[in-house]
Amino acid sequence: MKKICITICFLFAVQIIAQTEDMVRVTGDSLVGKSINGESIREVYGNVVITQGDILINCNKAIQNINKNNVELTGNVVVKQDSIIIKTPNGFYDGNNKIASSNSGVNLTDGHINLSAKNGYYYFNEKRSSFLGNVILTDALSVLKSNSLSYYDDEDKAFAEGNISVSDTSTTLFTDRLTYFRQTKDSYAKGNIRAYDPKNYFVIFGDSLIDKKSNNYSKIIGNSFLVKIDTSSIAENDTLYIAANSMEAYSDSTELLIASDSVKIVRGDFSSLNDKTYFYRHSGLMKTNKEENSINPPILWSGETQLVGDSVIISLIDKKIDNIDIKNNSSIITVSLDSLNRYDQISGKNIILYFSEGSLAQSKVNENTLTIYYLYEDAEPNGLLKASSENAKIFFEENKVIDVRFYKNAISEYHPENMVIGNEKSFVIPSFKLYDGKPTLNFIYNTFKKYFDQLKEDNQFNVKH
């Protein structure tokens, strides 16, 4: 092996004159030159400065391979180009391809973001960086963590994969893959989506996410599932569950969430099945309408009572149902006592239900009122009363009819028990129909078990089930 040794110490720097303009230039306090397997190797020590065009690298020691035009970098490595600054304990620079890399921990900043990871590559020609292992990207508003991440400087775009979490002051998003645009704060995510709002006990799951912060708009697509806990005591009956094919959220003054396609809602013994639900999160107001091409209207259940109408508006006060306004083609059907064949029935154009302490207390029926309700004496069946009027008020106690008052053009007829028994199916309102598919808590737990398991694993907040 042929050795060429040159040492210049103390105040004199060493400068290696590049063979071409694309060659890496290296200076330092001292230099040792050698030839290994026919390749010219130069070791430079102390205050090392490496340049190639507008790329500047500082470190404590450099081993330059002249033939391959690359440099091993050791000790306090700092790589700069324009606003890009990369720091690492040890690294490598490929001068032919203009790639800086490190597998000993790396940090990158451009004045707007800070990126750190176990391993990192920076491609100067493409102005792109690639990071692997414990990747953390921070900017002024958020922190992104992932297994791997590529960052594109010109586009201010990050693409992350594996165990991703993005946290800001109010929410934390978990997903498998994410594309993030720093300037607009817009994100596109796929796989195992769940977004937590711990302050408001709110979490939403789904298959993919479009989050346009620039427009205060986000959309969860595929197997969407929302859990909203309304009390700090984590009382099960206060927890709201909404399942749908997709959900859209507007984070502006409306705080509106729209659930679409096969919408299932469960909260305690209240449940609903419909095509589209509008949920105003701050006020708790919930609306649902029959869609133009839908076969069925919105269907709601409160315990054993079925409520149907073309449009349903539910108003909450202090997180409890205050009233339900059912508009057009409205009907209420309730199982009478424990009989499967006897149903108390109310129909009209519009029906408003009023609740007290969570229980149905009174209903008002406006226009085309028709009622059928069964009578009892000492808990024994005693026929039924069928009546019609313009308007009516029905009073309830423990979800059972205790009084009915008719207004305008009232007509009523009593049917004694001996005429009713065995003929219950003939005493029904014209719109009588019992709908299948009532969502229950057990249905929610069994259908979305993977989401409940994920809640436990994430440990963001506890959901009792």
Side-chain angles (χ1 to χ4, degrees):
M1 179 178 6
K2 182 180 179 181
K3 289 186 177 180
I4 301 175
C5 298
I6 302 173
T7 303
I8 302 175
C9 301
F10 303 108
L11 301 177
F12 298 95
V14 174
Q15 182 171 359
I16 305 302
I17 305 301
Q19 295 176 1
T20 70
E21 290 184 354
D22 289 333
M23 291 299 293
V24 173
R25 299 164 66 91
V26 182
T27 64
D29 290 344
S30 64
L31 178 147
V32 176
K34 64 181 82 170
S35 177
I36 301 177
N37 297 328
E39 295 183 345
S40 297
I41 305 297
R42 287 166 176 159
E43 296 184 358
V44 183
Y45 298 87
N47 298 311
V48 176
V49 178
I50 302 161
T51 57
Q52 186 184 36
D54 60 351
I55 300 169
L56 172 65
I57 304 174
N58 297 95
C59 62
N60 296 340
K61 174 186 174 183
I63 301 176
Q64 182 184 22
N65 186 316
I66 301 295
N67 300 72
K68 294 182 178 178
N69 197 28
N70 61 39
V71 187
E72 290 184 29
L73 312 166
T74 303
N76 299 312
V77 179
V78 179
V79 183
K80 295 180 180 179
Q81 184 195 48
D82 298 328
S83 61
I84 300 293
I85 301 175
I86 303 169
K87 295 182 179 180
T88 181
N90 303 294
F92 185 82
Y93 181 69
D94 176 355
N96 289 335
N97 297 301
K98 294 186 177 179
I99 300 172
S101 61
S102 171
N103 59 6
S104 58
V106 60
N107 179 276
L108 179 150
T109 181
D110 66 356
H112 301 290
I113 64 158
N114 188 289
L115 266 164
S116 64
K118 286 184 176 179
N119 309 313
Y121 294 81
Y122 190 84
Y123 304 86
F124 287 93
N125 287 335
E126 304 172 38
K127 292 189 175 180
R128 174 173 68 89
S129 52
S130 178
F131 295 85
L132 295 171
N134 294 337
V135 180
I136 301 176
L137 183 154
T138 59
D139 62 14
L141 299 176
S142 60
V143 178
L144 186 156
K145 298 180 180 179
S146 65
N147 291 345
S148 67
L149 183 142
S150 294
Y151 193 83
Y152 302 83
D153 296 333
D154 288 343
E155 300 175 69
D156 268 337
K157 180 180 77 173
F159 175 71
E161 287 187 294
N163 295 318
I164 298 167
S165 69
V166 184
S167 301
D168 57 25
T169 55
S170 60
T171 61
T172 299
L173 168 70
F174 294 95
T175 184
D176 295 334
R177 298 181 299 281
L178 174 77
T179 302
Y180 172 69
F181 293 88
R182 188 191 63 81
Q183 290 193 1
T184 61
K185 311 301 179 191
D186 293 346
S187 300
Y188 301 84
K190 285 189 176 181
N192 204 17
I193 304 288
R194 60 257 198 223
Y196 289 91
D197 179 354
K199 183 179 179 180
N200 295 302
Y201 289 98
F202 177 91
V203 59
I204 188 167
F205 298 84
D207 294 337
S208 61
L209 166 72
I210 299 172
D211 184 19
K212 289 183 172 291
K213 280 194 168 44
S214 52
N215 296 326
N216 294 315
Y217 171 82
S218 60
K219 184 174 185 179
I220 296 278
I221 304 168
N223 297 309
S224 304
F225 182 59
L226 177 149
V227 179
K228 172 75 169 69
I229 301 173
D230 286 328
T231 68
S232 58
S233 61
I234 321 296
E236 184 176 10
N237 287 338
D238 289 336
T239 300
L240 170 68
Y241 303 98
I242 301 177
N245 188 47
S246 67
M247 295 187 194
E248 300 166 88
Y250 294 85
S251 301
D252 53 15
S253 58
T254 64
E255 286 290 330
L256 172 64
L257 184 141
I258 303 173
S260 301
D261 195 354
S262 302
V263 182
K264 300 176 180 64
I265 301 173
V266 174
R267 184 183 181 186
D269 64 354
F270 171 84
S271 59
S272 173
L273 187 64
N274 60 79
D275 291 327
K276 181 169 285 189
T277 295
Y278 299 81
F279 178 49
Y280 295 84
R281 285 177 287 174
H282 279 182
S283 65
L285 190 71
M286 189 179 298
K287 297 181 179 179
T288 181
N289 303 314
K290 182 180 180 181
E291 295 294 290
E292 184 176 351
N293 299 319
S294 178
I295 297 175
N296 293 326
I299 310 158
L300 297 85
W301 292 269
S302 179
E304 298 302 321
T305 299
Q306 173 189 281
L307 305 92
V308 175
D310 289 347
S311 173
V312 180
I313 302 172
I314 302 172
S315 300
L316 287 80
I317 295 180
D318 294 333
K319 302 173 183 177
K320 294 182 179 179
I321 296 177
D322 180 71
N323 66 78
I324 299 177
D325 190 354
I326 310 171
K327 298 180 181 296
N328 297 322
N329 301 311
S330 308
S331 69
I332 302 174
I333 300 174
T334 305
V335 174
S336 180
L337 290 182
D338 296 326
S339 172
L340 296 178
N341 294 320
R342 296 192 171 195
Y343 298 93
D344 294 329
Q345 304 155 55
I346 305 169
S347 67
K349 183 177 181 181
N350 302 318
I351 301 176
I352 305 175
L353 305 177
Y354 298 94
F355 290 77
S356 176
E357 299 298 326
S359 298
L360 180 60
Q362 183 187 154
S363 70
K364 290 182 180 179
V365 187
N366 298 321
E367 300 185 41
N368 305 320
T369 303
L370 179 62
T371 66
I372 296 174
Y373 65 96
Y374 286 84
L375 303 173
Y376 296 87
E377 186 172 343
D378 297 329
E380 293 297 322
N382 188 25
L384 64 79
L385 187 67
K386 184 177 181 180
S388 63
S389 64
E390 188 66 19
N391 304 312
K393 290 183 180 179
I394 299 101
F395 298 87
F396 297 83
E397 194 171 283
E398 296 181 352
N399 288 322
K400 296 179 177 62
V401 176
I402 59 170
D403 189 15
V404 181
R405 299 174 188 177
F406 301 100
Y407 303 91
K408 293 185 181 178
N409 305 320
I411 300 174
S412 63
E413 53 189 50
Y414 170 73
H415 297 260
E417 181 62 24
N418 63 338
M419 300 295 291
V420 172
I421 189 166
N423 297 311
E424 287 87 350
K425 293 183 179 179
S426 64
F427 295 99
V428 294
I429 56 178
S431 59
F432 184 90
K433 181 178 180 180
L434 295 175
Y435 290 89
D436 296 325
K438 175 183 175 181
T440 63
L441 282 173
N442 283 336
F443 168 84
I444 291 294
Y445 294 152
N446 293 332
T447 304
F448 300 101
K449 183 178 182 303
K450 67 175 183 179
Y451 290 148
F452 288 102
D453 292 341
Q454 189 68 62
L455 281 170
K456 289 182 179 178
E457 184 176 335
D458 290 339
N459 196 31
Q460 291 289 306
F461 52 75
N462 184 33
V463 175
K464 183 179 179 181
H465 70 278

